[in-house]
Amino acid sequence: NMPVGMDVKGEVLQGIEELEKMHTTETSPLSALELFTRSRHALAYSSKAFFNPGMVGQLYFPAEHKYAIYMLFAPASMGLIVTLVREVKPFLSRKQEKKVE
C-alpha cells in the first residue's frame, strides 16, 4: 500500500467528478465545448495529482534497490548475450565466405 496525501486524494476526486459530470446530463446533452472544457479540467487535476511532490518522491528508489533489480536480470541477460554471439558468429563467417567467392 502506498500512502497518499489528502491533497492528492482531493485532486483525484475532483478529476473523477469532472469526468462524471461529462456523462451525467439530466436535462440536455453537453456541447462539444463543454465536454472539452470538462475533459481539460479532469486532465489538469490528474496531472496535478500525478506530479505532486509527495507522489513524485515515491517514484525514486534507493541505489541498493536498483542494483537488486539489475541482479535479477543479469543471469537471464547473460544467457541471451551468449546465444546472440553464438548465432551471429556463423552468420558473419558465411557472409565473409560469400565475399571471398
Side-chain angles (χ1 to χ4, degrees):
N1 292 335
M2 186 169 64
V4 176
M6 292 304 291
D7 54 339
V8 175
K9 179 182 175 184
E11 291 166 349
V12 169
L13 291 176
Q14 286 176 325
I16 292 172
E17 185 179 320
E18 289 292 331
L19 291 174
E20 287 176 347
K21 286 179 186 176
M22 290 173 57
H23 297 290
T24 56
T25 56
E26 293 85 18
T27 56
S28 63
L30 297 173
S31 69
L33 180 61
E34 289 173 313
L35 288 172
F36 175 74
T37 303
R38 293 200 189 279
S39 67
R40 189 182 64 193
H41 288 290
L43 180 63
Y45 285 127
S46 66
S47 293
K48 281 174 58 177
F50 183 78
F51 292 110
N52 186 297
M55 297 300 290
V56 173
Q58 295 182 15
L59 296 175
Y60 300 104
F61 300 104
E64 296 85 19
H65 294 172
K66 291 179 188 175
Y67 297 139
I69 296 298
Y70 294 145
M71 293 310 293
L72 289 174
F73 291 111
S77 62
M78 289 306 295
L80 290 172
I81 291 170
V82 169
T83 303
L84 180 66
V85 169
R86 285 183 186 167
E87 292 297 320
V88 169
K89 276 185 179 181
F91 174 75
L92 292 177
S93 66
R94 284 193 303 265
K95 190 174 179 182
Q96 286 179 349
E97 288 174 5
K98 286 183 181 179
K99 271 189 178 179
V100 174
E101 293 175 1

